[in-house]
Amino acid sequence: MNDQIRQAVLQLKAGHLVAIPTETVYGLAADANNSEAVKKIFATKGRPSGHPLIVHVAMPNPSSGSESNWGAVLRQWSRDVSPEALVLAEKFWPGPLTMILPKAKNVLNEVTGGQETVGIRCPSHPLAQHLLNEFGGGLAAPSANRFGRISPTTAEHVKDEFPDSDLLILDGGPCAVGIESTIVDLTRLDSEGAVVLRLGAISQDQIHAALSHINSQRHLSSAQSSSDQPRVSGSLSAHYAPRTKMLLYPSHGLNQSSQGFQLDLKNFSKIAWVHFSGETINPAVQQKIVEEFLIPNNPTKLAKELYALLRKLDKLSVDLILFESLPNDSSWDAVRDRLGRASVGSGI
Ligand code: TXA
Ligand code: MG
Protein backbone atom coordinates (compact mmCIF):
# COMPACT_ATOMS: atom_id res chain seq x y z
CA MET A 1 0.00 0.00 0.00
CA ASN A 2 1.49 3.36 -0.90
CA ASP A 3 1.71 6.20 1.56
CA GLN A 4 -1.09 8.26 0.10
CA ILE A 5 -3.54 5.36 0.21
CA ARG A 6 -2.48 4.51 3.76
CA GLN A 7 -3.11 8.11 4.81
CA ALA A 8 -6.48 8.11 3.08
CA VAL A 9 -7.57 4.89 4.80
CA LEU A 10 -6.56 6.31 8.18
CA GLN A 11 -8.49 9.51 7.53
CA LEU A 12 -11.60 7.62 6.43
CA LYS A 13 -11.45 5.23 9.40
CA ALA A 14 -11.16 8.25 11.70
CA GLY A 15 -14.39 9.67 10.25
CA HIS A 16 -12.80 12.35 8.06
CA LEU A 17 -13.46 13.14 4.42
CA VAL A 18 -11.05 12.36 1.58
CA ALA A 19 -11.30 13.63 -2.01
CA ILE A 20 -10.88 10.76 -4.44
CA PRO A 21 -10.38 10.51 -8.20
CA THR A 22 -12.87 8.49 -10.21
CA GLU A 23 -13.08 8.08 -13.99
CA THR A 24 -16.07 10.48 -14.10
CA VAL A 25 -15.35 13.34 -11.67
CA TYR A 26 -13.60 13.67 -8.29
CA GLY A 27 -15.68 12.62 -5.29
CA LEU A 28 -15.81 13.82 -1.69
CA ALA A 29 -15.75 10.52 0.16
CA ALA A 30 -16.74 9.37 3.65
CA ASP A 31 -17.18 5.97 5.27
CA ALA A 32 -20.74 5.08 4.17
CA ASN A 33 -21.34 3.31 7.51
CA ASN A 34 -20.39 6.28 9.69
CA SER A 35 -23.26 8.74 10.00
CA GLU A 36 -21.16 11.52 11.56
CA ALA A 37 -18.67 11.26 8.70
CA VAL A 38 -21.44 11.29 6.10
CA LYS A 39 -22.96 14.41 7.68
CA LYS A 40 -19.64 16.18 7.11
CA ILE A 41 -20.14 15.75 3.36
CA PHE A 42 -23.35 17.79 3.47
CA ALA A 43 -21.81 20.46 5.67
CA THR A 44 -18.69 20.74 3.50
CA LYS A 45 -20.58 20.93 0.20
CA GLY A 46 -23.46 23.06 1.46
CA ARG A 47 -25.74 20.36 0.10
CA PRO A 48 -29.36 20.01 1.28
CA SER A 49 -29.63 16.93 3.50
CA GLY A 50 -32.49 15.32 1.56
CA HIS A 51 -30.23 14.70 -1.44
CA PRO A 52 -29.03 11.09 -1.39
CA LEU A 53 -25.43 10.03 -1.97
CA ILE A 54 -23.96 7.30 -4.13
CA VAL A 55 -22.19 4.44 -2.34
CA HIS A 56 -18.97 3.48 -4.11
CA VAL A 57 -17.93 -0.15 -3.88
CA ALA A 58 -14.85 -2.24 -4.69
CA MET A 59 -14.85 -4.87 -7.41
CA PRO A 60 -15.59 -8.38 -6.20
CA ASN A 61 -12.63 -10.45 -5.17
CA PRO A 62 -11.72 -12.54 -8.25
CA SER A 63 -10.72 -15.50 -6.10
CA SER A 64 -14.12 -15.74 -4.47
CA GLY A 65 -15.55 -17.86 -7.21
CA SER A 66 -18.53 -18.10 -9.46
CA GLU A 67 -21.14 -15.73 -10.89
CA SER A 68 -18.31 -13.15 -10.79
CA ASN A 69 -19.89 -12.21 -7.48
CA TRP A 70 -21.41 -8.85 -8.21
CA GLY A 71 -24.39 -10.28 -6.31
CA ALA A 72 -22.36 -10.50 -3.11
CA VAL A 73 -21.17 -6.92 -3.55
CA LEU A 74 -24.66 -5.57 -4.23
CA ARG A 75 -26.37 -7.50 -1.45
CA GLN A 76 -24.32 -5.63 1.14
CA TRP A 77 -26.27 -2.51 0.16
CA SER A 78 -29.50 -3.73 -1.41
CA ARG A 79 -32.17 -6.09 -0.07
CA ASP A 80 -33.43 -6.99 -3.52
CA VAL A 81 -30.85 -7.49 -6.24
CA SER A 82 -32.71 -8.12 -9.49
CA PRO A 83 -31.33 -10.08 -12.44
CA GLU A 84 -31.32 -6.74 -14.29
CA ALA A 85 -28.94 -5.26 -11.71
CA LEU A 86 -26.59 -8.24 -12.08
CA VAL A 87 -26.59 -7.94 -15.87
CA LEU A 88 -25.80 -4.23 -15.77
CA ALA A 89 -23.03 -4.73 -13.19
CA GLU A 90 -21.53 -7.50 -15.28
CA LYS A 91 -21.67 -5.39 -18.44
CA PHE A 92 -20.76 -1.89 -17.22
CA TRP A 93 -18.84 -2.22 -13.94
CA PRO A 94 -16.37 -1.08 -12.98
CA GLY A 95 -17.43 2.06 -14.83
CA PRO A 96 -19.55 5.20 -15.09
CA LEU A 97 -22.94 3.69 -14.17
CA THR A 98 -24.87 4.18 -10.92
CA MET A 99 -27.76 1.84 -10.14
CA ILE A 100 -30.61 2.78 -7.84
CA LEU A 101 -31.78 -0.30 -5.94
CA PRO A 102 -34.02 -1.01 -2.92
CA LYS A 103 -31.78 -0.33 0.07
CA ALA A 104 -30.69 -2.92 2.61
CA LYS A 105 -31.78 -2.36 6.22
CA ASN A 106 -28.33 -1.33 7.41
CA VAL A 107 -27.87 1.53 4.93
CA LEU A 108 -27.80 4.85 6.76
CA ASN A 109 -30.59 7.40 6.33
CA GLU A 110 -27.94 10.07 5.89
CA VAL A 111 -26.78 8.24 2.76
CA THR A 112 -30.20 7.64 1.21
CA GLY A 113 -31.74 10.97 2.14
CA GLY A 114 -34.35 9.00 4.07
CA GLN A 115 -35.50 7.14 0.95
CA GLU A 116 -36.02 3.39 0.66
CA THR A 117 -33.54 3.22 -2.21
CA VAL A 118 -29.77 3.45 -2.51
CA GLY A 119 -27.45 4.46 -5.36
CA ILE A 120 -24.46 2.16 -5.91
CA ARG A 121 -21.49 2.51 -8.24
CA CYS A 122 -18.25 0.62 -8.77
CA PRO A 123 -15.79 3.17 -10.20
CA SER A 124 -13.02 2.03 -12.56
CA HIS A 125 -10.29 4.51 -11.62
CA PRO A 126 -7.38 2.37 -10.35
CA LEU A 127 -6.69 4.67 -7.40
CA ALA A 128 -10.35 4.57 -6.34
CA GLN A 129 -10.30 0.77 -6.58
CA HIS A 130 -7.07 0.53 -4.64
CA LEU A 131 -8.49 2.74 -1.89
CA LEU A 132 -11.82 0.87 -1.75
CA ASN A 133 -9.97 -2.41 -1.43
CA GLU A 134 -7.69 -1.24 1.34
CA PHE A 135 -10.52 0.53 3.13
CA GLY A 136 -12.66 -2.58 2.97
CA GLY A 137 -16.07 -0.88 2.96
CA GLY A 138 -18.34 1.39 0.95
CA LEU A 139 -17.58 5.07 0.41
CA ALA A 140 -20.42 7.56 0.15
CA ALA A 141 -19.26 10.24 -2.26
CA PRO A 142 -20.90 13.06 -4.18
CA SER A 143 -18.94 15.13 -6.65
CA ALA A 144 -16.32 17.18 -4.77
CA ASN A 145 -17.72 20.62 -5.53
CA ARG A 146 -19.84 23.12 -3.64
CA PHE A 147 -23.54 22.50 -4.18
CA GLY A 148 -24.75 23.56 -7.64
CA ARG A 149 -21.28 24.37 -8.92
CA ILE A 150 -19.05 22.74 -11.52
CA SER A 151 -17.87 19.22 -10.76
CA PRO A 152 -14.08 18.84 -10.41
CA THR A 153 -12.13 16.78 -12.92
CA THR A 154 -8.64 17.38 -11.50
CA ALA A 155 -7.15 17.50 -8.00
CA GLU A 156 -6.52 21.24 -8.47
CA HIS A 157 -10.22 21.80 -9.10
CA VAL A 158 -11.02 20.17 -5.75
CA LYS A 159 -8.49 22.42 -4.02
CA ASP A 160 -10.11 25.43 -5.71
CA GLU A 161 -13.52 24.37 -4.35
CA PHE A 162 -12.33 23.99 -0.76
CA PRO A 163 -9.27 26.24 -0.49
CA ASP A 164 -9.38 26.67 3.27
CA SER A 165 -9.82 23.07 4.31
CA ASP A 166 -7.09 20.57 5.14
CA LEU A 167 -8.92 17.95 3.11
CA LEU A 168 -6.70 15.11 1.88
CA ILE A 169 -6.97 15.02 -1.91
CA LEU A 170 -5.78 11.90 -3.72
CA ASP A 171 -4.40 13.04 -7.06
CA GLY A 172 -5.29 10.58 -9.80
CA GLY A 173 -4.79 12.97 -12.72
CA PRO A 174 -7.51 14.35 -14.99
CA CYS A 175 -10.70 12.26 -15.09
CA ALA A 176 -11.00 10.18 -18.26
CA VAL A 177 -14.77 10.57 -18.74
CA GLY A 178 -15.23 14.06 -17.33
CA ILE A 179 -18.98 14.08 -16.64
CA GLU A 180 -20.88 12.30 -13.87
CA SER A 181 -22.07 8.71 -14.13
CA THR A 182 -25.28 7.64 -15.84
CA ILE A 183 -27.90 6.92 -13.16
CA VAL A 184 -30.43 4.17 -13.82
CA ASP A 185 -33.32 3.50 -11.44
CA LEU A 186 -34.07 -0.22 -11.17
CA THR A 187 -36.64 0.06 -8.38
CA ARG A 188 -39.70 0.33 -10.62
CA LEU A 189 -38.93 -2.39 -13.14
CA ASP A 190 -42.43 -3.87 -13.11
CA SER A 191 -44.25 -0.60 -13.69
CA GLU A 192 -41.92 1.70 -15.58
CA GLY A 193 -38.87 -0.39 -16.46
CA ALA A 194 -35.27 0.78 -16.14
CA VAL A 195 -35.49 4.57 -15.90
CA VAL A 196 -32.48 6.72 -16.65
CA LEU A 197 -32.43 9.55 -14.08
CA ARG A 198 -29.23 11.21 -15.24
CA LEU A 199 -27.53 10.95 -18.62
CA GLY A 200 -23.86 10.02 -18.77
CA ALA A 201 -21.25 8.24 -20.82
CA ILE A 202 -23.32 5.04 -20.84
CA SER A 203 -26.40 5.74 -22.95
CA GLN A 204 -29.98 4.69 -22.37
CA ASP A 205 -29.76 2.65 -25.57
CA GLN A 206 -26.74 0.74 -24.25
CA ILE A 207 -28.60 -0.02 -21.02
CA HIS A 208 -31.71 -1.17 -22.82
CA ALA A 209 -29.66 -3.25 -25.24
CA ALA A 210 -27.97 -5.00 -22.31
CA LEU A 211 -31.30 -5.68 -20.59
CA SER A 212 -33.13 -6.79 -23.71
CA HIS A 213 -31.12 -10.02 -23.72
CA ILE A 214 -32.48 -11.25 -20.44
CA ASN A 215 -36.01 -10.05 -20.20
CA SER A 216 -38.75 -9.41 -22.64
CA GLN A 217 -41.53 -8.93 -20.11
CA ARG A 218 -40.38 -6.03 -18.07
CA HIS A 219 -41.09 -2.74 -19.68
CA LEU A 220 -38.04 -0.80 -20.81
CA SER A 221 -38.81 2.83 -20.26
CA SER A 222 -37.84 5.12 -23.11
CA ALA A 223 -38.44 8.33 -21.23
CA GLN A 224 -36.23 10.00 -18.72
CA SER A 225 -37.86 10.38 -15.35
CA SER A 226 -40.43 13.13 -15.37
CA SER A 227 -40.41 13.36 -11.60
CA ASP A 228 -39.70 16.89 -10.47
CA GLN A 229 -38.70 15.72 -7.01
CA PRO A 230 -35.01 16.60 -6.63
CA ARG A 231 -34.07 13.03 -5.88
CA VAL A 232 -31.19 13.66 -8.24
CA SER A 233 -29.68 17.04 -7.60
CA GLY A 234 -28.03 16.91 -11.01
CA SER A 235 -31.58 16.93 -12.39
CA LEU A 236 -32.28 20.41 -11.09
CA SER A 237 -32.41 22.68 -14.11
CA ALA A 238 -29.69 24.97 -12.74
CA HIS A 239 -26.58 22.95 -11.91
CA TYR A 240 -22.91 22.58 -12.83
CA ALA A 241 -22.92 26.34 -13.17
CA PRO A 242 -20.24 28.97 -13.75
CA ARG A 243 -20.66 32.31 -12.00
CA THR A 244 -20.23 34.21 -15.25
CA LYS A 245 -23.36 34.53 -17.35
CA MET A 246 -23.34 31.98 -20.17
CA LEU A 247 -25.63 32.00 -23.20
CA LEU A 248 -25.95 29.16 -25.66
CA TYR A 249 -26.54 30.45 -29.15
CA PRO A 250 -27.78 28.41 -32.10
CA SER A 251 -25.07 27.53 -34.61
CA HIS A 252 -24.78 30.31 -37.20
CA GLY A 253 -27.10 32.41 -35.02
CA LEU A 254 -24.47 35.13 -34.68
CA ASN A 255 -23.29 35.39 -38.25
CA GLN A 256 -23.83 38.34 -40.51
CA SER A 257 -27.06 37.20 -42.08
CA SER A 258 -28.73 35.69 -39.04
CA GLN A 259 -31.90 37.26 -37.68
CA GLY A 260 -32.58 34.45 -35.27
CA PHE A 261 -30.66 35.22 -32.13
CA GLN A 262 -30.93 38.64 -30.58
CA LEU A 263 -28.14 39.61 -28.26
CA ASP A 264 -28.42 42.85 -26.36
CA LEU A 265 -24.81 43.87 -26.85
CA LYS A 266 -24.91 47.04 -24.80
CA ASN A 267 -25.18 44.93 -21.62
CA PHE A 268 -21.82 43.32 -22.23
CA SER A 269 -18.35 44.67 -22.78
CA LYS A 270 -16.08 41.62 -22.67
CA ILE A 271 -17.20 38.36 -24.21
CA ALA A 272 -15.58 34.92 -24.29
CA TRP A 273 -16.59 32.97 -27.39
CA VAL A 274 -16.65 29.17 -27.44
CA HIS A 275 -17.42 27.41 -30.69
CA PHE A 276 -16.67 24.68 -33.18
CA SER A 277 -14.23 25.62 -35.90
CA GLY A 278 -15.87 27.09 -38.97
CA GLU A 279 -18.39 29.20 -37.06
CA THR A 280 -18.40 32.87 -38.04
CA ILE A 281 -19.71 35.83 -36.13
CA ASN A 282 -20.84 39.33 -37.06
CA PRO A 283 -18.45 42.28 -36.51
CA ALA A 284 -20.57 43.96 -33.82
CA VAL A 285 -20.20 40.90 -31.60
CA GLN A 286 -16.66 40.22 -32.75
CA GLN A 287 -15.57 43.62 -31.44
CA LYS A 288 -16.35 42.58 -27.90
CA ILE A 289 -14.70 39.17 -28.02
CA VAL A 290 -11.66 39.12 -25.76
CA GLU A 291 -11.12 35.34 -25.60
CA GLU A 292 -11.90 32.59 -28.08
CA PHE A 293 -11.93 28.81 -27.54
CA LEU A 294 -12.41 26.07 -30.10
CA ILE A 295 -14.15 22.91 -28.91
CA PRO A 296 -13.70 19.42 -30.36
CA ASN A 297 -16.43 18.12 -32.63
CA ASN A 298 -16.62 14.90 -30.65
CA PRO A 299 -18.92 14.38 -27.65
CA THR A 300 -16.56 12.07 -25.76
CA LYS A 301 -13.68 14.52 -26.08
CA LEU A 302 -15.81 17.51 -25.16
CA ALA A 303 -17.22 15.69 -22.10
CA LYS A 304 -13.67 15.12 -20.88
CA GLU A 305 -12.77 18.81 -21.31
CA LEU A 306 -16.06 20.54 -20.52
CA TYR A 307 -15.81 21.18 -16.77
CA ALA A 308 -12.18 22.29 -16.95
CA LEU A 309 -13.17 24.67 -19.75
CA LEU A 310 -16.11 26.07 -17.76
CA ARG A 311 -13.79 26.66 -14.81
CA LYS A 312 -11.24 28.38 -17.03
CA LEU A 313 -13.96 30.56 -18.57
CA ASP A 314 -15.20 31.49 -15.13
CA LYS A 315 -11.77 32.75 -14.14
CA LEU A 316 -11.50 35.16 -17.08
CA SER A 317 -12.77 38.58 -16.30
CA VAL A 318 -15.46 38.54 -18.95
CA ASP A 319 -19.09 39.43 -18.43
CA LEU A 320 -20.53 36.97 -20.92
CA ILE A 321 -19.69 33.52 -22.24
CA LEU A 322 -21.19 32.87 -25.68
CA PHE A 323 -21.20 29.12 -26.27
CA GLU A 324 -22.26 27.57 -29.56
CA SER A 325 -25.09 25.05 -29.10
CA LEU A 326 -24.13 21.41 -29.41
CA PRO A 327 -25.51 19.15 -32.14
CA ASN A 328 -28.91 17.53 -31.58
CA ASP A 329 -27.64 14.03 -32.33
CA SER A 330 -28.21 11.58 -29.45
CA SER A 331 -24.48 10.95 -29.01
CA TRP A 332 -24.29 14.52 -27.66
CA ASP A 333 -27.20 14.09 -25.20
CA ALA A 334 -25.20 13.78 -21.97
CA VAL A 335 -22.78 16.63 -22.62
CA ARG A 336 -25.59 18.82 -24.04
CA ASP A 337 -27.57 18.16 -20.85
CA ARG A 338 -24.67 19.38 -18.65
CA LEU A 339 -24.03 22.44 -20.79
CA GLY A 340 -27.72 23.37 -20.72
CA ARG A 341 -27.90 23.18 -16.93
CA ALA A 342 -24.65 25.11 -16.61
CA SER A 343 -26.15 27.86 -18.74
CA VAL A 344 -29.42 28.02 -16.77
CA GLY A 345 -27.55 28.27 -13.49
CA SER A 346 -24.91 30.71 -14.72
CA GLY A 347 -24.51 34.31 -13.63
CA ILE A 348 -26.02 33.69 -10.22
O1 TXA B 1 -19.98 10.03 -11.42
C1 TXA B 1 -20.57 10.17 -10.37
O2 TXA B 1 -21.69 9.69 -10.15
C2 TXA B 1 -19.88 11.02 -9.28
C3 TXA B 1 -18.63 10.28 -8.83
C4 TXA B 1 -17.96 10.94 -7.66
O3 TXA B 1 -18.95 8.95 -8.54
N1 TXA B 1 -20.77 11.26 -8.19
C5 TXA B 1 -21.78 12.13 -8.28
O4 TXA B 1 -22.45 12.29 -7.08
O5 TXA B 1 -22.08 12.72 -9.30
P1 TXA B 1 -23.48 13.47 -6.84
O6 TXA B 1 -23.92 13.32 -5.43
O7 TXA B 1 -22.89 14.75 -7.24
O8 TXA B 1 -24.64 13.06 -7.77
C6 TXA B 1 -25.29 11.84 -7.52
C7 TXA B 1 -26.72 11.93 -7.83
C8 TXA B 1 -27.39 12.96 -6.94
O9 TXA B 1 -28.07 13.85 -7.77
C9 TXA B 1 -28.33 12.14 -6.08
O10 TXA B 1 -29.53 12.83 -5.84
C10 TXA B 1 -28.53 10.89 -6.93
O11 TXA B 1 -27.31 10.67 -7.52
N2 TXA B 1 -28.90 9.75 -6.09
C11 TXA B 1 -28.15 9.13 -5.17
N3 TXA B 1 -28.85 8.17 -4.54
C12 TXA B 1 -30.09 8.19 -5.09
C13 TXA B 1 -31.28 7.46 -4.86
N4 TXA B 1 -31.36 6.53 -3.92
N5 TXA B 1 -32.38 7.75 -5.61
C14 TXA B 1 -32.31 8.71 -6.57
N6 TXA B 1 -31.21 9.43 -6.82
C15 TXA B 1 -30.11 9.20 -6.10
MG1 MG C 1 -22.72 16.61 -8.05
Side-chain angles (χ1 to χ4, degrees):
M1 191 177 0
N2 75 32
D3 234 31
Q4 258 210 322
I5 298 278
R6 193 190 329 263
Q7 271 303 320
V9 169
L10 287 173
Q11 292 281 320
L12 291 165
K13 297 266 186 214
H16 299 306
L17 305 183
V18 175
I20 61 167
T22 82
E23 71 280 22
T24 58
V25 301
Y26 275 69
L28 188 63
D31 178 351
N33 285 319
N34 178 338
S35 61
E36 290 311 310
V38 173
K39 282 183 194 154
K40 289 182 189 167
I41 293 177
F42 292 89
T44 305
K45 274 188 66 116
R47 176 172 168 130
S49 59
H51 288 230
L53 302 172
I54 296 169
V55 177
H56 296 70
V57 297
M59 289 176 69
N61 188 340
S63 63
S64 62
S66 61
E67 192 224 0
S68 80
N69 260 328
W70 286 112
V73 173
L74 286 167
R75 276 188 284 276
Q76 290 180 31
W77 303 96
S78 172
R79 63 168 183 273
D80 179 13
V81 177
S82 58
E84 283 83 352
L86 292 175
V87 165
L88 294 183
E90 187 68 52
K91 173 101 185 151
F92 297 114
W93 278 3
L97 180 73
T98 296
M99 293 195 263
I100 309 295
L101 300 178
K103 79 174 193 79
K105 240 210 265 144
N106 57 297
V107 184
L108 295 174
N109 270 328
E110 286 81 1
V111 170
T112 64
Q115 301 182 57
E116 274 305 300
T117 59
V118 61
I120 312 170
R121 176 163 110 79
C122 181
S124 65
H125 195 293
L127 217 52
Q129 278 301 323
H130 190 170
L131 176 65
L132 283 159
N133 258 309
E134 296 293 346
F135 178 66
L139 292 176
S143 52
N145 52 281
R146 292 182 187 274
F147 182 66
R149 296 295 168 188
I150 305 165
S151 298
T153 53
T154 66
E156 293 76 54
H157 295 165
V158 180
K159 189 67 198 160
D160 284 351
E161 287 291 309
F162 309 108
D164 304 325
S165 83
D166 50 7
L167 178 70
L168 173 61
I169 304 170
L170 287 185
D171 190 345
C175 301
V177 175
I179 56 173
E180 303 80 356
S181 60
T182 304
I183 302 182
V184 62
D185 185 350
L186 298 179
T187 64
R188 333 171 220 170
L189 283 167
D190 287 323
S191 54
E192 293 169 66
V195 180
V196 172
L197 299 181
R198 181 173 72 184
L199 298 167
I202 293 171
S203 70
Q204 183 162 274
D205 286 351
Q206 283 175 284
I207 291 170
H208 287 178
L211 293 182
S212 66
H213 294 301
I214 57 153
N215 202 314
S216 52
Q217 276 107 55
R218 299 225 225 199
H219 179 68
L220 295 175
S221 171
S222 59
Q224 251 188 284
S225 172
S226 57
S227 157
D228 46 18
Q229 281 282 92
R231 292 203 294 186
V232 178
S233 43
S235 72
L236 299 174
S237 57
H239 214 74
Y240 317 111
R243 291 186 164 81
T244 313
K245 180 151 189 60
M246 179 165 80
L247 285 177
L248 306 183
Y249 70 92
S251 295
H252 309 298
L254 291 173
N255 67 17
Q256 205 96 39
S257 57
S258 170
Q259 309 281 308
F261 185 76
Q262 293 304 322
L263 182 65
D264 205 352
L265 277 177
K266 68 176 179 315
N267 295 333
F268 307 105
S269 56
K270 287 180 177 172
I271 300 177
W273 181 32
V274 188
H275 63 109
F276 296 106
S277 69
E279 180 75 354
T280 59
I281 202 165
N282 75 54
V285 183
Q286 181 76 60
Q287 263 184 11
K288 301 201 167 182
I289 308 278
V290 293
E291 299 273 355
E292 183 177 347
F293 294 88
L294 286 182
I295 46 173
N297 197 352
N298 173 311
T300 308
K301 282 193 182 142
L302 182 59
K304 186 172 156 99
E305 293 171 17
L306 181 68
Y307 290 153
L309 175 60
L310 291 179
R311 280 172 183 273
K312 192 189 275 178
L313 288 162
D314 220 8
K315 282 190 172 162
L316 303 170
S317 38
V318 297
D319 43 27
L320 179 67
I321 301 164
L322 270 180
F323 207 120
E324 184 178 351
S325 296
L326 305 181
N328 272 323
D329 185 272
S330 65
S331 62
W332 290 85
D333 282 353
V335 65
R336 190 171 355 86
D337 167 79
R338 298 309 193 282
L339 187 63
R341 293 178 205 278
S343 160
V344 172
S346 69
I348 297 169

